[in-house]
């Protein structure tokens, strides 16, 4: 395989383009995170004054307890919503990075495969056994890499499902506790 300056330049340009794209994705994710936090902060400030006024307006301890109980549910729902938005930002940004990395890995695997095939075609006569060993080792490494990719994807999917299940369970527990507290009041 002949490697020339044009191939090197093209490869470097492609890598630079991928890096630029990943940088843009990272900044877009960060921008979404800042917007989410700014909106949450702005809402929290406004709500805290309204909540304080509601608490200050209570005329008896029972009314104070009722106002406090009424404030817990919306705060919990907002917290869950914030968590969902945060998870969405992280997942979408992560998915973009994963897609880019998988693309570059596939490209690299193909380049290595091409290099090996070209090198093996030009192998000296009588080296058939060595060529067969190299081909077998390469195919085994490719198979192992595919298996590792699948295992990593399954682990990531399992972790995401576990987080969603835990969030749903926590949300259900808090709602059940809120219902019991309201029933007692």
């Amino acid at each position: 395989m002949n490697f020339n300056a044009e191939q090197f330049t093209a490869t470097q340009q492609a890598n630079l383009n991928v890096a630029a794209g990943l940088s843009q994705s990272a900044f877009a994710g960060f921008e979404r995170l800042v917007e989410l936090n700014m909106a949450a902060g702005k809402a929290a400030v406004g709500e805290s004054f309204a909540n304080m006024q509601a608490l200050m307006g209570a005329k008896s301890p029972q009314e104070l307890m009722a106002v406090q109980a009424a404030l817990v549910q919306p705060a919990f729902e907002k917290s869950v919503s914030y968590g969902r938005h945060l998870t969405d930002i992280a997942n979408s940004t992560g998915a973009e990075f994963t897609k880019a990395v998988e693309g570059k890995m596939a490209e690299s695997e193909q380049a290595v495969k091409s290099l090996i095939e070209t090198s093996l075609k030009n192998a000296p006569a009588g080296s058939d056994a060595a060529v067969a060993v190299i081909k077998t080792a390469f195919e085994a490494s490719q198979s192992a890499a595919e298996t590792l990719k699948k295992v990593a994807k399954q682990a990531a999917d399992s972790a995401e499902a576990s987080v969603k299940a835990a969030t749903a369970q926590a949300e259900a527990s808090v709602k059940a506790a809120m219902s019991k507290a309201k029933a007692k009041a």
Side-chain angles (χ1 to χ4, degrees):
M1 178 175 174
N2 292 334
F3 191 78
N4 61 37
E6 290 173 7
Q7 289 174 314
F8 180 76
T9 302
T11 300
Q12 291 301 86
Q13 184 63 44
N15 290 339
L16 184 62
N17 290 342
V18 169
L22 289 176
S23 295
Q24 291 299 318
S25 295
F27 278 111
F30 182 71
E31 192 172 67
R32 287 177 59 199
L33 180 61
V34 168
E35 288 171 2
L36 174 65
N37 285 332
M38 291 297 291
K42 183 178 180 181
V45 168
E47 290 166 7
S48 67
F49 286 113
N51 293 345
M52 188 56 75
Q53 286 177 340
L55 290 169
M56 299 293 274
K59 306 224 184 318
S60 68
Q62 293 82 8
E63 196 176 328
L64 180 64
M65 295 298 282
V67 170
Q68 284 179 328
L71 295 176
V72 172
Q73 181 69 27
F76 172 74
E77 290 172 357
K78 287 179 178 115
S79 176
V80 169
S81 176
Y82 176 83
R84 286 184 183 141
H85 281 93
L86 194 60
T87 301
D88 177 54
I89 291 169
N91 287 342
S92 64
T93 303
E96 289 181 39
F97 275 85
T98 300
K99 182 180 173 185
V101 168
E102 286 175 349
K104 287 309 283 179
M105 286 188 67
E107 193 178 293
S108 295
E109 288 171 6
Q110 185 58 40
V112 169
K113 184 177 180 180
S114 177
L115 176 65
I116 289 173
E117 287 175 357
T118 302
S119 297
L120 294 179
K121 284 180 187 175
N122 298 326
S127 61
D128 295 339
V131 168
V133 168
I134 292 172
K135 281 184 179 179
T136 302
F138 180 73
E139 289 169 3
S141 71
Q142 293 296 96
S143 177
E146 283 301 315
T147 301
L148 287 174
K149 284 182 203 174
K150 288 177 185 175
V151 168
K153 175 132 177 60
Q154 288 173 346
D157 291 345
S158 176
E160 185 177 344
S162 294
V163 168
K164 285 182 181 178
T167 300
Q169 185 177 7
E171 187 175 344
S173 296
V174 170
K175 284 183 180 180
M178 293 296 296
S179 296
K180 286 182 184 178
K182 285 182 182 178
K184 288 182 180 179

